[in-house]
Each structure stands twice: as structure tokens, then as C-alpha cells.
């Protein structure tokens, strides 16, 4: 939960302020899903920022700043959970509750 609050504070920029809360949370969930996919693709944790950038993300550029903050959370999850759970959906649900 603290990580979500930190990411939300980081993204509280003029660009993000134009987005609705729902849109901002969806972009954050998309970032989480991209990191989850990188983990499934066996990308090393230190290489995630570049791997996600190379994947051509569709969220606003300022959301890339959240990648180094969210990556450790995704990488500390058990691989079983990374394979079987939708971490992006879980993040979206928690973000919308904030």
C-alpha cells in the first residue's frame, strides 16, 4: 500500500493532474502488467526499465518514472503468483481504493 501511495505522489504532476483518478490508476496498472510480463520473459530486474521502454508502452511518459519503484514489488512476488495472478488488476483495485 505504501508503494502505491509513493507512486501516486510521484505521478502528481501537471500532466497526471489532467487525468482522472481512474485513468491514472489504469496507467499504473498497465505499468505493473508490463513489469509482470518482463518478469515472465525472464528479464533481469536491473534491465526492466529498458525492457519496458523497448516494448513501446502507450501510457504517458511521466509514468515511466514509476517503473523503478514498482519493479522490486513485482520481482519479490513468488513466480507462481506472477504466472497465475493478474498483478495489474490487483494494483488497479488497490489504487482505486486510495
Amino acid at each position: 500500500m505504501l508503494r502505491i501511495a509513493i507512486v501516486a505522489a510521484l505521478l502528481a504532476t501537471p500532466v497526471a493532474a489532467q487525468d482522472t483518478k481512474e485513468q491514472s490508476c489504469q496507467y499504473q496498472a498497465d505499468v505493473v502488467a508490463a513489469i509482470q510480463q518482463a518478469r515472465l520473459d525472464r528479464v533481469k530486474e536491473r534491465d526492466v526499465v529498458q525492457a519496458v521502454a523497448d516494448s513501446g508502452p502507450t501510457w504517458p511518459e511521466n509514468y515511466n518514472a514509476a517503473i523503478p519503484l514498482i519493479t522490486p514489488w513485482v520481482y519479490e512476488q513468488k513466480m507462481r503468483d506472477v504466472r497465475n495472478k493478474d498483478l495489474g488488476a490487483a494494483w488497479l483495485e488497490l489504487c482505486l481504493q486510495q
Side-chain angles (χ1 to χ4, degrees):
M1 292 266 249
L2 179 61
R3 231 180 265 279
I4 293 173
I6 291 170
V7 170
L10 175 70
L11 297 174
T13 64
V15 174
Q18 296 172 359
D19 298 327
T20 63
K21 177 181 179 177
E22 292 80 15
Q23 185 63 59
S24 178
C25 287
Q26 184 59 58
Y27 287 143
Q28 292 177 46
D30 292 345
V31 170
V32 171
I35 296 168
Q36 181 176 8
Q37 187 59 53
R39 176 126 188 250
L40 290 169
D41 292 343
R42 305 253 183 231
V43 173
K44 292 181 180 181
E45 187 172 353
R46 68 176 175 263
D47 298 331
V48 169
V49 173
Q50 188 63 47
V52 171
D54 290 347
S55 72
T58 58
W59 56 76
E61 190 172 329
N62 62 315
Y63 285 83
N64 290 337
I67 296 170
L69 298 171
I70 298 172
T71 298
W73 177 75
V74 173
Y75 274 69
E76 68 190 21
Q77 304 300 313
K78 293 183 179 186
M79 195 58 168
R80 172 185 65 232
D81 293 336
V82 173
R83 278 191 213 101
N84 298 321
K85 295 184 179 180
D86 186 346
L87 299 179
W91 187 281
L92 179 63
E93 183 180 332
L94 287 172
C95 180
L96 291 172
Q97 292 175 5
Q98 297 290 320

